[in-house]
């Protein structure tokens, strides 16, 4: 328990050896360290001082959260970082999803290694003004499962915060795992003294997701993290009509692909249809979606991002959706959200993104 570190063999919800409840909490029952924690001298964690010194060069810290997995939170974190970097901000992206680090793939950095210098761990750079740190860079095999209890996860998050040298940056975007678990408590605890600008919460439109997002909003309120806004992702499938496949059912398990016949018919009889975009509500938004929830919970609504197959492809290929016209459905929505975020918080927009 040197320097107040949580031992690896501690119980899952260990309050930490420096906590006043160390060794006395219900969470401490049965822990092999219970007696040592109860009798150990208490005091401030010296690592928090080191973290504060590291974070002194970071102007703004943004957490990206979600109540439920699979809502596109990491995709949003990646594209938010790309967008800020495209505006000439200096940006860092920290992936603290220890068990499911997808950021390296989404930024095209698979197979990269972390390097150390006399200043600390160096982020892996996508561009000169966009650095990334993730446990994904530390795994010998990308298929390796990370089977860690809470204390070990918390220890790595602390190490990322105190040992990674970001230099002078405008934004540190922190991509957190879904839910409200140990990682979330740790990142808030470690950064609280240095100031967290707030959290962006990502959801999909249906109530199954919004139920958990409400919990995420309440978590932020309880721990004193401002909610910068909620993003409704996958808000309706938007896709060019010509990119769809068309099938005919036969009354059996067999399906007949009639795509070419349909496209040929449109070319011959209604060519104007070839330029149309089809929109379909994949998720039930009859309950009002994220916008209604934000009104009810008195938090900002930043906007909607459609379910765009081209954005999904950009994430798979590890590239920005803003560099070409392929993501013409989703990129404008993301740009609008970023501009809303900057304007609402009076963060200076140094260079406008290409329109």
């Amino acid at each position: 328990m040197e320097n107040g570190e949580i031992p690896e063999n501690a119980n899952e919800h260990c309050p930490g050896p420096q906590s006043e409840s160390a060794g006395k909490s219900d969470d401490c029952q049965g822990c092999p360290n219970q007696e040592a924690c109860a009798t150990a001298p208490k005091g401030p964690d010296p690592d928090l001082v080191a973290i504060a010194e590291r974070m002194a060069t970071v102007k703004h810290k943004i957490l990206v959260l979600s109540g439920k997995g699979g809502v596109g939170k990491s995709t949003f974190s990646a594209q938010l970082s790309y967008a800020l970097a495209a505006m000439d901000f200096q940006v860092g992206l920290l992936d603290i999803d220890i068990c499911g680090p997808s950021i390296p793939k989404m930024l095209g950095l698979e197979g990269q290694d972390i390097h150390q210098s006399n200043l600390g761990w160096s982020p892996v750079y996508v561009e000169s003004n966009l650095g990334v740190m993730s446990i994904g860079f530390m795994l010998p095999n990308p298929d390796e499962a990370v089977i860690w209890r809470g204390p070990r996860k918390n220890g790595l998050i602390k190490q990322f915060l105190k040992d990674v040298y970001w230099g002078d940056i405008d934004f540190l975007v922190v991509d957190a795992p879904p839910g409200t678990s140990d990682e979330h408590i740790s990142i808030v605890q470690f950064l609280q003294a240095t100031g967290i600008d707030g959290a962006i919460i990502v959801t999909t439109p249906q109530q199954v997701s919004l139920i958990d997002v409400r919990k995420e909003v309440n978590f932020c309120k309880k721990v004193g993290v401002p909610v910068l806004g909620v993003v409704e992702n996958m808000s309706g499938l938007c896709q060019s009509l010509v990119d769809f496949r068309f099938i005919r059912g036969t009354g059996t398990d067999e399906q007949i692909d009639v795509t070419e016949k349909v496209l040929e018919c449109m070319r011959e009889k209604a060519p104007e249809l070839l330029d149309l975009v089809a929109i379909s509500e994949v998720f039930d938004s009859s309950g009002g979606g994220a916008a209604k929830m934000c009104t009810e919970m008195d938090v900002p609504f930043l906007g909607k991002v459609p379910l765009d197959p081209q954005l999904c492809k950009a994430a798979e290929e590890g590239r920005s959706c803003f560099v070409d016209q392929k993501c013409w459905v989703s990129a404008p929505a993301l740009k609008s959200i970023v501009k809303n975020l900057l304007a609402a918080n009076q963060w200076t927009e140094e260079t406008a993104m290409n329109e």
Side-chain angles (χ1 to χ4, degrees):
M1 290 182 287
E2 183 180 357
N3 288 337
E5 291 284 356
I6 298 175
E8 289 188 13
N9 62 346
N11 287 356
E12 184 172 1
H13 298 291
C14 172
Q18 295 297 324
S19 170
E20 290 297 326
S21 62
K24 305 170 187 175
S25 166
D26 290 342
D27 293 324
C28 300
Q29 297 301 317
C31 177
N33 309 290
Q34 185 175 6
E35 184 177 351
C37 287
T39 57
K42 306 296 187 289
D45 184 349
D47 285 336
L48 295 183
V49 177
I51 290 172
E53 290 175 352
R54 282 291 191 203
M55 293 295 108
T57 61
V58 178
K59 291 180 183 176
H60 304 292
K61 306 168 197 72
I62 301 172
L63 307 184
V64 181
L65 310 175
S66 68
K68 188 175 289 296
V71 300
K73 168 187 56 60
S74 293
T75 298
F76 179 79
S77 295
Q79 297 304 328
L80 170 63
S81 300
Y82 273 128
L84 292 171
M87 300 166 76
D88 282 350
F89 288 116
Q90 300 293 322
V91 183
L93 175 55
L94 175 60
D95 180 7
I96 64 167
D97 192 344
I98 307 299
C99 294
S102 50
I103 287 298
K105 179 170 183 60
M106 290 187 174
L107 281 93
L109 298 174
E110 286 183 298
Q112 298 294 318
D113 296 319
I114 298 172
H115 299 285
Q116 286 186 296
S117 70
N118 59 337
L119 296 173
W121 290 1
S122 297
V124 178
Y125 283 90
V126 186
E127 300 165 2
S128 61
N129 64 334
L130 176 52
V132 181
M133 181 56 65
S134 169
I135 191 178
F137 300 136
M138 304 169 70
L139 300 177
N141 180 343
D143 298 330
E144 191 79 26
V146 179
I147 309 173
W148 289 2
R149 290 187 181 273
R152 195 171 179 191
K153 293 179 186 177
N154 299 342
L156 181 61
I157 293 171
K158 179 185 281 189
Q159 193 165 10
F160 278 158
L161 293 175
K162 72 185 180 70
D163 288 347
V164 175
Y165 177 70
W166 299 100
D168 292 315
I169 61 174
D170 298 300
F171 292 98
L172 179 64
V173 178
V174 181
D175 183 53
T180 54
S181 56
D182 285 349
E183 294 94 324
H184 307 82
I185 297 169
S186 293
I187 194 72
V188 171
Q189 177 188 348
F190 297 152
L191 289 179
Q192 200 90 62
T194 70
I196 302 173
D197 288 84
I200 298 172
I201 303 175
V202 181
T203 184
T204 44
Q206 78 276 30
Q207 288 299 319
V208 168
S209 179
L210 293 171
I211 287 170
D212 290 333
V213 168
R214 290 174 182 272
K215 297 183 179 75
E216 201 80 35
V217 171
N218 284 324
F219 166 81
C220 290
K221 290 180 178 180
K222 284 181 180 179
V223 298
V225 174
V227 176
L228 299 175
V230 175
V231 172
E232 184 177 285
N233 197 25
M234 306 185 197
S235 185
L237 172 66
C238 295
Q239 187 171 347
S240 295
L241 200 59
V242 294
D243 290 332
F244 277 89
R245 287 180 58 240
F246 299 88
I247 59 172
R248 177 185 291 126
T250 61
T252 66
D253 291 340
E254 184 183 4
Q255 295 176 335
I256 300 174
D257 191 320
V258 294
T259 303
E260 283 305 317
K261 288 183 179 179
V262 171
L263 292 178
E264 183 179 350
C265 181
M266 283 195 288
R267 290 189 197 100
E268 291 179 359
K269 299 183 178 181
E272 66 275 10
L273 296 181
L274 298 173
D275 295 326
L276 293 182
V277 174
I279 301 175
S280 175
E281 296 296 329
V282 178
F283 299 108
D284 180 20
S285 59
S286 59
K292 182 180 178 183
M293 184 212 69
C294 287
T295 300
E296 294 171 348
M297 300 198 74
D298 194 26
V299 293
F301 179 61
L302 290 174
K304 301 180 179 183
V305 181
L307 178 55
D308 178 7
Q310 289 298 327
L311 177 60
C312 300
K313 190 173 182 181
E316 283 288 302
E317 296 175 354
R319 57 182 174 82
S320 168
C321 72
F322 304 109
V323 295
D324 52 37
Q325 298 301 312
K326 293 180 180 178
C327 298
W328 63 274
V329 169
S330 54
L334 285 163
K335 285 183 181 181
S336 176
I337 287 170
V338 174
K339 289 183 177 181
N340 289 342
L341 177 69
L342 294 175
N345 294 279
Q346 298 182 332
W347 293 332
T348 306
E349 184 177 338
E350 295 178 355
T351 302
M353 286 181 288
N354 295 327
E355 296 294 336

